[in-house]
Amino acid sequence: MAHPKRKTSKTRRDKRRTHYKASAPTLAKDPATGEMHLFHRAHWHEGKLYYRGQVLVDKTEEAAA
């Protein structure tokens, strides 16, 4: 098995890891509400669950009933 001949210093290790960066999430604007949300994700707005501009679940009707 391969093993290091010398201990890798913290500086050398961290230099190698400089390219691993977290990218900012891509946001979309919902056509129905104008709310910003993550792509391909449903989101809640004023008691309703929206996905691609359509209401999937309406909690306001259940609360009123």
Side-chain angles (χ1 to χ4, degrees):
M1 284 186 4
H3 60 283
K5 193 165 192 171
R6 301 212 190 297
K7 181 178 178 179
T8 306
S9 70
K10 294 171 196 156
T11 306
R12 195 169 186 84
R13 176 199 65 200
D14 293 344
K15 280 184 192 175
R16 184 180 66 245
R17 293 180 179 173
T18 59
H19 304 292
Y20 303 137
K21 296 182 177 85
S23 58
T26 308
L27 296 177
K29 189 173 183 180
D30 190 283
T33 63
E35 182 108 356
M36 297 301 285
H37 64 92
L38 291 172
F39 266 113
H40 305 104
R41 303 287 192 283
H43 65 281
W44 289 97
H45 181 70
E46 297 178 354
K48 297 178 183 176
L49 183 67
Y50 287 90
Y51 183 68
R52 297 181 68 185
Q54 298 179 0
V55 178
L56 298 179
V57 177
D58 193 352
K59 289 279 185 184
T60 56
E61 291 177 0
E62 294 175 11

